[in-house]
Amino acid sequence: MIMISLILSPVDFIKQMRIKKALKLLDEGGLSIAEVAYRVGFSDPKYFSRCFKAEMNITPTQYMENRKSGQETI
Protein backbone atom coordinates (compact mmCIF):
# COMPACT_ATOMS: atom_id res chain seq x y z
CA MET A 1 0.00 0.00 0.00
CA ILE A 2 2.79 2.44 0.84
CA MET A 3 4.55 1.59 -2.42
CA ILE A 4 1.39 2.39 -4.38
CA SER A 5 1.02 5.73 -2.67
CA LEU A 6 4.52 6.69 -3.80
CA ILE A 7 3.69 5.91 -7.42
CA LEU A 8 0.25 7.53 -7.58
CA SER A 9 -0.52 11.20 -7.31
CA PRO A 10 -2.58 12.14 -4.25
CA VAL A 11 -5.66 12.63 -6.45
CA ASP A 12 -5.24 9.21 -8.07
CA PHE A 13 -4.62 7.57 -4.70
CA ILE A 14 -7.85 9.00 -3.27
CA LYS A 15 -9.74 8.01 -6.40
CA GLN A 16 -8.41 4.45 -6.08
CA MET A 17 -9.49 4.28 -2.43
CA ARG A 18 -12.96 5.51 -3.37
CA ILE A 19 -13.26 2.82 -6.04
CA LYS A 20 -12.24 0.14 -3.52
CA LYS A 21 -14.90 1.38 -1.11
CA ALA A 22 -17.41 1.42 -3.97
CA LEU A 23 -16.63 -2.24 -4.70
CA LYS A 24 -17.54 -3.13 -1.12
CA LEU A 25 -20.79 -1.17 -1.31
CA LEU A 26 -21.71 -2.72 -4.66
CA ASP A 27 -21.02 -6.18 -3.24
CA GLU A 28 -23.29 -5.50 -0.27
CA GLY A 29 -26.12 -4.61 -2.64
CA GLY A 30 -29.17 -2.50 -1.92
CA LEU A 31 -27.81 0.73 -3.43
CA SER A 32 -27.96 2.08 -6.96
CA ILE A 33 -24.74 2.92 -8.75
CA ALA A 34 -25.52 6.63 -8.35
CA GLU A 35 -26.03 6.18 -4.59
CA VAL A 36 -22.71 4.35 -4.34
CA ALA A 37 -21.00 7.12 -6.31
CA TYR A 38 -22.31 9.77 -3.91
CA ARG A 39 -21.50 7.74 -0.80
CA VAL A 40 -17.86 7.29 -1.76
CA GLY A 41 -17.40 10.98 -2.55
CA PHE A 42 -18.10 11.43 -6.26
CA SER A 43 -20.47 14.27 -7.10
CA ASP A 44 -21.16 13.00 -10.63
CA PRO A 45 -22.23 9.36 -11.22
CA LYS A 46 -21.05 9.53 -14.85
CA TYR A 47 -17.58 10.58 -13.75
CA PHE A 48 -17.65 7.81 -11.15
CA SER A 49 -18.46 5.30 -13.91
CA ARG A 50 -15.55 6.54 -16.04
CA CYS A 51 -13.15 6.31 -13.09
CA PHE A 52 -14.49 2.88 -12.13
CA LYS A 53 -13.98 1.58 -15.67
CA ALA A 54 -10.47 3.04 -15.85
CA GLU A 55 -9.54 1.29 -12.59
CA MET A 56 -11.45 -1.99 -13.00
CA ASN A 57 -11.61 -2.37 -16.82
CA ILE A 58 -15.35 -2.90 -16.45
CA THR A 59 -18.26 -0.52 -15.90
CA PRO A 60 -20.14 -0.52 -12.59
CA THR A 61 -23.18 -1.87 -14.41
CA GLN A 62 -21.18 -4.75 -15.87
CA TYR A 63 -19.68 -5.40 -12.44
CA MET A 64 -23.16 -5.65 -10.92
CA GLU A 65 -24.39 -7.92 -13.73
CA ASN A 66 -21.37 -10.22 -13.31
CA ARG A 67 -21.88 -10.25 -9.55
CA LYS A 68 -25.53 -11.26 -9.96
CA SER A 69 -24.62 -14.06 -12.37
CA GLY A 70 -21.83 -15.26 -10.07
CA GLN A 71 -18.93 -14.48 -12.43
CA GLU A 72 -15.56 -13.49 -11.01
CA THR A 73 -14.87 -9.81 -11.78
CA ILE A 74 -11.59 -9.04 -10.07
Side-chain angles (χ1 to χ4, degrees):
M1 184 74 133
I2 294 171
M3 185 71 138
I4 291 172
S5 65
L6 296 175
I7 297 170
L8 297 174
S9 71
V11 170
D12 289 336
F13 178 75
I14 291 169
K15 200 181 311 178
Q16 187 179 67
M17 293 297 102
R18 287 178 175 172
I19 297 298
K20 286 182 181 182
K21 176 66 176 170
L23 286 170
K24 291 178 184 177
L25 292 174
L26 290 171
D27 287 340
E28 290 173 6
L31 298 173
S32 71
I33 292 169
E35 289 171 319
V36 169
Y38 294 129
R39 287 205 181 178
V40 299
F42 286 88
S43 59
D44 181 358
K46 288 183 181 183
Y47 179 64
F48 165 72
S49 292
R50 285 196 307 269
C51 293
F52 189 97
K53 183 167 183 170
E55 182 73 26
M56 302 301 300
N57 297 317
I58 187 172
T59 67
T61 302
Q62 292 169 327
Y63 180 84
M64 293 298 294
E65 289 170 356
N66 290 350
R67 193 179 132 274
K68 287 179 184 176
S69 68
Q71 294 179 10
E72 182 66 30
T73 56
I74 298 177

